Amino acid sequence: MPTNLANKEVRVRFAPSPTGDLHVGNIRTALFDWAYARHTGGKFIFRIEDTDRDRVTDEYIQAAIDTLKWLGLTWDEGPEVGGPNGPYLQSQRLDIYAEWAAKFLAQGDAYYCYCSSDELEARREAQRAANVAPGYDGKCREISADDLARYQTEGRKPVLRMRMPDGSTTFTDAIRGDVTFDHNFVPDFVLVRGDGSPLYTLAVAVDDVLMKVTHVLRGEDLLSSTPRQIRVYQAMGVKIEDYPTFAHLPFVMGQDNAKLSKRNGEVSIAWYRDRGFLPEAICNYLALLGWSPGDDRENVTMQELTELFTVERVHSSPARFDMKKLEAINGDKIRLLSLEDLLARVTPFLIKDGVITGTADELALVAKTLPLIQERIATLADVTSMVKFLFVSNFEVESESAPKIADEQSQIVLKRALEVLTATSAWDHSSLEQALRAALIDEMALKPRIAFSALRIAITGSHISPPLFESMELLGRDASLARLVMAIK
Ligand code: GLU
């Protein structure tokens, strides 16, 4: 990645504004930030941008912290771990922003603006009518003594605005190359609101400087705020060679090519966690969404990501989020788990779904089932429907499957199976298979699909289950026979 800072330690930050649960786009940014820091042996800084306290809540902040931890994106400086450049919550740094704002005012870089929102709106309207670039027109750059006296008598609370000089700002984005913003389209911008609270542009720029951030990898939606941030660096007296290097990551689009947004619950990482996606699958999938290690692999471990990640290999065009692909990768990762690990991960889902309470006996039975279903599930939550037949006290065939065993043919199969099984004393899956095949397939000449699907529904209540004979073995003789009796009208 091109950098002005060849000899300095790389310092990358992830700086979300937690106004909701972190979403897929945020997490991909965090992952790339983390990967770049780890790849370069630098530092990964986690900063919470919570100056907008009307929209950011403590719950969302905690959720953001928990999400990063869950994904394994450990940070070197930030909430909980601290660090030499803290605090890392912007709401705890307000005095720092106030100090810099006062300095900018004293230097003449910033000025008080008394324009009311009605006045601003009226002038914007006029700009639109006259077909000129909309934005603040600089009215309060010079205020006459009379006007100032009048504003003050009216009790107006001024905002603090940054003066944008004429000209343009050019910077080299590590993904998009040279980017230039003509200042005709970057009007004087607000640094501090009338109530004294700082705006994002002030806080983010001050913090990136004070936290010695060397690389800003973030979403493309923030590209247009870069010239304003650079203006703040200038006012802070930062030398051009000390500006961070910017890399704006292309959007993650939805299937329909619309932008993914956090208003849509389905993009929040919590949504995926609650549905049994593994953190390593999410990281694997998101890592390859918009970045590639130079080949067409679909699996990448965190270790490989750390070794291989470079910004040069981030694609410059938008990436499309594909749920099917994520599910496939999740299934792959589930298959890589040891049975012990899989058991530990599915247990909370089974408890939450009311399938088990978590006793040692229940867990032992789940543990026996897992090898049978590890190949068949795409998410941890899928385990519930696969194993619940082993635990229900009031067993019932699920309503959509009930008609499938009510027909004459199925009833004949079930009756014959009951006779055979009543006479079978060995209750292991191979004996069961042998006895049932002999009776149903060999003697009655039924197709296995017909014979065994009726049995499967009668025993497990569903047409989706672990393998049939193993299911019967796990369920046990008494319960299996009782279910057959129940299924026979
Ligand atoms: N806090 C900003 C946001 O969540 C991002 C700040 C940045 O990365 O520059 O949208």
Side-chain angles (χ1 to χ4, degrees):
M1 178 161 169
T3 173
N4 310 323
L5 304 148
N7 302 318
K8 286 194 195 166
E9 175 187 62
V10 166
R11 295 176 56 82
V12 196
R13 90 299 194 275
F14 173 57
S17 308
T19 55
D21 284 323
L22 295 184
H23 56 93
V24 167
N26 296 134
I27 290 304
R28 197 196 50 167
T29 301
L31 183 64
F32 286 9
D33 284 327
W34 176 89
Y36 188 61
R38 294 291 170 259
H39 177 74
T40 54
K43 293 278 188 286
F44 177 50
I45 303 160
F46 182 18
R47 181 173 75 224
I48 304 281
E49 306 215 316
D50 61 340
T51 53
D52 185 356
R53 275 294 178 157
D54 290 340
R55 296 175 61 223
V56 177
T57 66
D58 287 342
E59 287 71 30
Y60 286 139
I61 293 175
Q62 192 55 49
I65 293 171
D66 293 345
T67 299
L68 251 60
K69 275 194 208 163
W70 180 70
L71 291 168
L73 305 181
T74 48
W75 53 97
D76 306 299
E77 293 177 29
E80 295 184 357
V81 307
N85 305 287
Y88 294 90
L89 261 67
Q90 287 190 329
S91 59
Q92 294 170 7
R93 302 173 60 84
L94 298 179
D95 50 338
I96 299 175
Y97 312 131
E99 242 170 69
W100 281 103
K103 193 153 189 270
F104 299 162
L105 179 67
Q107 290 170 178
D109 287 307
Y111 60 92
Y112 280 126
C113 165
Y114 290 85
C115 297
S116 69
S117 43
D118 287 349
E119 289 166 351
L120 291 173
E121 183 48 41
R123 276 163 22 222
R124 260 197 298 271
E125 198 53 54
Q127 284 169 332
R128 273 193 286 267
N131 233 345
V132 296
Y136 189 68
D137 55 7
K139 180 166 189 289
C140 289
R141 283 183 166 201
E142 317 294 340
I143 304 181
S144 69
D146 285 355
D147 281 348
L148 182 60
R150 180 163 60 82
Y151 295 148
Q152 284 171 341
T153 344
E154 287 172 13
R156 293 194 189 196
K157 295 255 180 290
V159 301
L160 189 70
R161 265 187 208 279
M162 185 64 103
R163 206 183 284 274
M164 277 310 278
D166 290 341
S168 62
T169 299
T170 297
F171 61 93
T172 304
D173 186 281
I175 295 171
R176 327 177 125 243
D178 283 354
V179 184
T180 298
F181 284 90
D182 178 342
H183 292 184
N184 283 319
F185 301 96
V186 189
D188 293 355
F189 56 95
V190 178
L191 295 166
V192 182
R193 295 188 187 85
D195 65 4
S197 59
L199 269 102
Y200 159 72
T201 324
L202 172 62
V204 74
V206 166
D207 284 350
D208 284 344
V209 172
L210 299 186
M211 296 181 181
K212 305 178 191 74
V213 168
T214 59
H215 293 79
V216 174
L217 276 73
R218 60 178 178 186
E220 170 174 87
D221 48 330
L222 293 161
L223 182 69
S224 64
S225 75
T226 310
R228 290 190 282 268
Q229 282 162 237
I230 289 178
R231 177 69 186 98
V232 177
Y233 303 155
Q234 290 164 347
M236 290 176 81
V238 179
K239 291 199 292 278
I240 197 162
E241 59 271 25
D242 290 332
Y243 294 176
T245 300
F246 288 90
H248 287 92
L249 307 167
F251 286 128
V252 181
M253 314 297 274
Q255 308 272 55
D256 47 5
N257 269 342
K259 200 184 147 202
L260 280 181
S261 89
K262 57 178 138 179
R263 277 187 297 282
N264 178 350
E266 261 151 75
V267 301
S268 92
I269 291 299
W271 189 92
Y272 293 98
R273 187 184 50 211
D274 295 346
R275 272 154 193 79
F277 286 85
L278 308 186
E280 57 268 47
I282 293 176
C283 287
N284 184 144
Y285 178 65
L286 291 182
L288 297 177
L289 192 63
W291 169 80
S292 84
D295 51 37
D296 53 7
R297 74 180 83 189
E298 301 223 313
N299 283 289
V300 65
T301 62
M302 294 299 257
Q303 180 62 32
E304 289 164 340
L305 176 62
T306 307
E307 283 160 17
L308 301 172
F309 186 84
T310 62
V311 176
E312 284 76 14
R313 289 204 181 274
V314 173
H315 308 154
S316 55
S317 51
R320 180 148 348 123
F321 186 79
D322 182 344
M323 186 68 171
K324 286 268 163 300
K325 222 171 193 166
L326 173 58
E327 274 173 1
I329 289 176
N330 204 55
D332 291 346
K333 298 287 181 191
I334 284 179
R335 290 180 251 306
L336 292 176
L337 298 178
S338 69
L339 289 172
E340 204 181 2
D341 193 357
L342 182 57
L343 179 64
R345 299 207 206 197
V346 301
T347 301
F349 285 87
L350 293 173
I351 293 176
K352 178 175 70 77
D353 291 337
V355 175
I356 60 172
T357 57
T359 65
D361 284 352
E362 289 171 333
L363 294 181
L365 187 50
V366 174
K368 283 190 199 153
T369 322
L370 290 179
L372 307 174
I373 61 174
Q374 190 168 19
E375 291 292 324
R376 302 184 176 207
I377 51 175
T379 69
L380 299 175
D382 288 347
V383 176
T384 289
S385 61
M386 287 280 196
V387 307
K388 69 169 187 284
F389 76 96
L390 291 170
F391 297 96
V392 283
S393 45
N394 299 312
F395 175 77
E396 261 179 53
V397 168
E398 63 182 25
S399 53
E400 66 262 37
S401 296
K404 295 188 190 135
I405 53 168
D407 59 293
E408 210 184 316
Q409 166 85 293
S410 304
Q411 289 290 314
I412 293 172
V413 168
L414 296 176
K415 280 180 196 146
R416 181 75 189 114
L418 180 61
E419 280 168 19
V420 173
L421 292 174
T422 310
T424 307
S425 50
W427 205 263
D428 60 281
H429 64 89
S430 42
S431 308
L432 293 169
E433 175 164 9
Q434 218 176 4
L436 288 167
R437 277 193 189 277
L440 302 177
I441 312 299
D442 301 343
E443 283 171 31
M444 293 173 74
L446 291 169
K447 288 206 176 69
R449 199 176 48 80
I450 304 229
F452 297 140
S453 76
L455 257 178
R456 179 190 300 280
I457 291 172
I459 297 288
T460 71
S462 166
H463 62 284
I464 301 169
S465 77
L468 175 62
F469 308 109
E470 283 85 347
S471 294
M472 293 170 68
E473 178 182 328
L474 289 171
L475 185 61
R477 188 169 202 275
D478 293 350
S480 300
L481 295 180
R483 286 183 191 185
L484 277 178
V485 170
M486 224 169 100
I488 296 168
K489 286 201 257 147

